Amino acid sequence: MRKELEKYFRTEKLPHIWCPGCGHGILTGAVVRAIDNLKLDQGKICIVSGIGCSSRAPGYLNFNTLHTTHGRALAFATGIKLAKPELKVIVLTGDGDCAAIGGNHFIHACRRNIDITTVVFNNNIYGMTSGQYSPMTPQGAFATTAPYGNIDRSFDLCKLAQSAGATYVARGTVYHIPQLIKLIEKALLHKGFSLIDAISICPTYFGRKNKMSSPVRMMEFIKDACIPAKNAEKLTKEELAGKIVIGEFYEEFAPEYTEEYAKVIEKAREGK
Amino acid sequence: MNSKAILMQGNEACVEGAIAAGMRFYAGYPITPSTEIAELSAEKLPKVGGKFIQMEDEIASMGAVIGASLAGLKAMTATSGPGFSLKQENIGFACLTEVPCVIVNVQRGGPSTGLPTLPAQGDVMQARWGTHGDHPIIVVSPSYVKEVYELTIRAFNLSEKYRVPCILLMDEVVAHMREKVELPDPSSIKIINRKKPDPTIKEYEPYKDCDGDGIPPMANFGEGIPFHVTGLIHDITGFPSTSATVTEALITRLMKKIYDNLDDILDYESIFTNDADTVIISFGSTARSVMRAVQIMRREGQKIGMLRLKTIWPFAHRAIQELSSQVKNLIVAEMNFGQLVEMVKASAEGRFYVAGINKFNGELIAPNEIISRTREVRSRA
Amino acid sequence: MMAEKTFSIHVNDRACKRCGICIAFCPKKVFSSENGKPVVTNLEACIKCKLCELRCPDYAIVVGGEENE
Ligand SMILES: Cc1ncc(C[n+]2csc(CCOP(=O)(O)OP(=O)(O)O)c2C)c(N)n1
Ligand code: SF4
Ligand code: SF4
Ligand code: SF4
Ligand SMILES: [Mg+2]
């Protein structure tokens, strides 16, 4: 590991538990590099996760870290942020953790526009429980609980976040790391709720079930499927089928929740 | 004397007590008959610089409360049956990670949506065992509005002292009743705050029993000592472990920090038990009817006593075992199908005849019902 | 006495889980595989884009610096 990055890791806990070629390691590296590029105050960062392979990330990171219950990271994070707004709160979560069991917390955190950066380690599958379909598994893909192909329609997390009220929304991938780091940096600097839908790879379960069991094969798949948001604008729905659109989707400057609450305190005190 | 008498509702006394105890964070989701606690917290907390948030559900409320407590604020949530069920997974998280917090459950008739506006005491066992796995918990239950105030403060104090979630188990009657309460001078209230690690410490081990009392000092997030918290079984450093030794040591410590301190945690009131042949055991609003029944029967010269539990969990086995040998009968009055009575039977170990007075139809147990059941029990062949 | 700075790519063999990502996606084919293990066999071709370092899931690669172990 590069020397400058060591302070951000609990190096004694490495190597991590993730499988060879698991995208979650790549994404964790991107988060750390974004933090390092911005030279954020390490002691004032709090990283919160739920349950899943992805949610194991905070255990390797040398910050205030909280590994909560499945799907609930944003609820805990909301408590931390409102209690201590001076903390920079980052949520690392999985597609199942965030969009299935945690879906309600997710849309409400977006709606409040509370200053939390959420990075979804989106591998389109439940990795930790060994390969069941998630709300992000594409239609037609295979999973241990979709042995005949998945009939569920999947979410577009970015559209969901934007319509729920998130004020910074972007998607990146494990293949396009320099771009992803930039997107995470922007999200971290943004005041309000920011979402990074970070496309990950799970070669072990998604890969194996879908004839891409090597990490290299999965990375190639992502490389080929991605198109930049700008190019996507010109394409029809049919042309976009099966594509992963990446880049920035939305940025808005809107009142942030904890700042609004500070005003509530002022008002309540005046009325005393 | 700086104290002032005010006519107050139980739910209001709860909020007053919580703020006096140092509550500075409340997260909740409205549900009858606890809603006034949320409404009053929303109004009063910002006045003292505290924070209120209405979350999207009770699961989220419980999560936010734990997050806020980890960030250093004394935090509370309030709910009733359906919401109490939803909170259980995260209550277990707080038990295992030893995050102080107070959960108010204003009981209503159940199961399911049950009887939203009518009283019950059907969550006694859920308050103890609602979340999965072996875990410690403290549950206190008030019978008077004044006591709601006092026990809310006590709930915060116990929670902070022992780093354990503390449940204030109320019922609809106590929550909605109005009584005169004399609020004490704030400076006379004993407040306990969680003990903190030495700020100069280099290697903070968040779950190390430094003082030998089973209660590790607790750092707050963002105050200089970064640490890890997980709901997985963890060692003293806070990181996951599956070792049998580590697991056994952790669960044992979690239990012992409560069970080694029963003198401090248990709280009950014994009335006329010295010469009684029959003792009626109760708690919450039912204890009020029992009190009236006992007074009436005493006036008639009958040797009836009463044991009113203020700490429900851990259960006060001792209070029962210490009853004098002339006690023959124990009668447990509760607004449920028979929950606490099972604990009383276990404590009685056959020494006493144990009977129940149970009502689970949304109506209170009236003093005359207690009197006639007592008569029945005492005259049994 | 100053040693001349030499450019190198360090692969931490103990950290590497042999996923093959660095080998497959280096734009200049700097690595080759020795039973899955990446070995630098074409250092001169390296354009220092650091993509291999950024994409390594196990933080096993350092481009152009000294790895400290
Ligand atoms: C309440 C609850 N339900 C189910 C589980 C089991 N479980 C653990 S992780 C997980 C799915 C995780 O999927 P995802 O969030 O996509 O993370 P990944 O492992 O893919 O990174 C499930 C269902 C649990 N721990 N808790
Ligand atoms: S199961 Fe999948 S998501 Fe989990 S560590 Fe392995 S590759 Fe990663
Ligand atoms: S990317 Fe990293 S882990 Fe994978 S083969 Fe290369 S050095 Fe090894
Ligand atoms: S820095 Fe770029 S060119 Fe050089 S080895 Fe790494 S990927 Fe190849
Ligand atoms: Mg997943």
Side-chain angles (χ1 to χ4, degrees), chain B residues 115-276:
Chain B
L115 298 167
T117 57
L118 297 177
Q121 294 175 313
D123 305 347
V124 172
M125 286 296 169
Q126 188 190 20
R128 176 64 191 93
W129 294 115
T131 197
H132 56 282
D134 289 314
H135 61 275
I137 201 111
I138 298 177
V139 181
V140 296
S141 185
S143 299
Y144 309 97
V145 174
K146 174 174 171 286
E147 204 169 72
V148 172
Y149 181 85
E150 293 161 358
L151 286 190
T152 305
I153 295 175
R154 189 165 146 77
F156 273 97
N157 283 346
L158 290 169
S159 175
E160 291 282 320
K161 182 170 179 182
Y162 295 106
R163 289 190 62 180
V164 68
C166 189
I167 293 166
L168 182 77
L169 193 64
M170 298 217 271
D171 55 63
E172 190 275 337
V173 180
V174 180
H176 281 159
M177 149 191 317
R178 283 179 189 278
E179 282 179 321
K180 268 233 168 86
V181 179
E182 210 160 293
L183 293 185
D185 180 346
S187 65
S188 70
I189 301 169
K190 189 179 169 229
I191 302 293
I192 300 176
N193 296 317
R194 61 191 73 169
K195 64 179 174 189
K196 289 201 176 186
D198 171 0
T200 61
I201 201 165
K202 284 216 179 65
E203 291 285 304
Y204 172 53
E205 292 172 310
Y207 293 98
K208 187 173 176 187
D209 181 10
C210 305
D211 308 319
D213 58 0
I215 308 154
M218 180 175 172
N220 295 332
F221 276 163
E223 287 178 8
I225 313 177
F227 60 104
H228 184 60
V229 175
T230 177
L232 288 164
I233 295 290
H234 43 267
D235 60 19
I236 58 170
T237 67
F239 288 93
S241 167
T242 52
S243 139
T245 324
V246 166
T247 306
E248 196 175 317
L250 175 60
I251 300 295
T252 307
R253 180 175 61 72
L254 292 182
M255 294 306 207
K256 269 174 71 75
K257 73 178 178 185
I258 303 302
Y259 288 100
D260 283 356
N261 290 293
L262 293 180
D263 279 344
D264 183 39
I265 297 168
L266 292 185
D267 190 7
Y268 46 86
E269 184 186 30
S270 310
I271 301 164
F272 307 132
T273 50
N274 285 341
D275 63 342

Side-chain angles (χ1 to χ4, degrees), chain A residues 17-24 53-54 123 125 127-128 201-205:
Chain A
I17 52 160
W18 294 316
C19 306
C22 173
H24 294 352
C53 293
S54 33
N123 56 11
I125 200 91
M128 177 145 272
I201 54 172
C202 171
T204 305
Y205 293 112

